[in-house]
Amino acid sequence: MSSSQEINNTRFNAEAQEWDSNIKHVESTAKAVEAIKRYVPGFKAGTNKDLNILELGCGTGLLSFALAPSVHSLLGIDTADGMLHAFDTKLSDHPKNTASPPNLSAINHYLTTPDVPEVQAAATKLHNAPPSTPKLRFDVIVSHLTLHHIASLSDMLRTLHACLKPGGCVALTDYEDFGAGAIPFHPVSKRAGVERHGIRRQEMEELLVATGFGGVRVEEAFVLRKEVEAEDGMPVRELDFPFLMCFGVRD
Ligand SMILES: C[S@@+](CC[C@H](N)C(=O)[O-])C[C@H]1O[C@@H](n2cnc3c(N)ncnc32)[C@H](O)[C@@H]1O
């Protein structure tokens, strides 16, 4: 594990308990859900209840629990135990008196291939697939506010491409690196494990195309206005942060 991954895990383990009470986390997730529903064809076609979703960096499950009721299943993947503990605590509140088990779960895993037993076992349960089904793949991969923590975007996009069924798509949201103005998104104390200050529009487009995705669109999906700390002689102030949707289809 890289040192910035360890810094991230320590940071998110410490923040997990308070994560959902930050109204900006809740607001940006609600905007991401709305954007995902706008971009992913299954939602437009009304076939969303057939979709098996993989979520990279699910954290406490803000996005996962918002999407799960509209889809067939959602498997979250994260690397911070604290965030996953918060996810599982919410899962344990699932009504015990319903006949159907919850259609989502999350595992602690550093994803490099879909073919590892951890991913396949969790997906087999959620997809209701017979245990002998070889190499389960996903219809959609989502991710919110996670790409800026990923060391190699090209490696990760290759992995995500391999996790999709043919015709499946990625719909990944994160804040945009539009230059120095994006740096205050994180307070100084939280910048250590950040691999990049947001994602770049052109870079993401080029990486998605180079990975082999078709129908690539990298576009501003919404804006989050939030307070940033005083720094370099600038006072505490509110700034607008554009968020990009990175969309592509596995042909
Ligand atoms: C900023 S948080 C966002 C969490 C959640 N998506 C949300 O919006 O509330 C980033 C999450 O990505 C996770 N993460 C960082 N690197 C990861 C990796 N390589 N694989 C999976 N998750 C990762 C962190 O543990 C953390 O939970």
Side-chain angles (χ1 to χ4, degrees), residues 5 12 19 57-59 62 78-80 83 110 144-146 149-150:
Q5 190 71 50
F12 289 116
W19 190 263
C58 61
L62 278 178
D78 205 283
T79 46
M83 299 295 261
Y110 189 92
H144 180 54
L145 276 172
T146 298
H149 291 293
I150 301 296

Side-chain angles (χ1 to χ4, degrees), residues 124 129-136:
T124 299
S132 57
T133 310
K135 298 191 171 183
L136 281 174

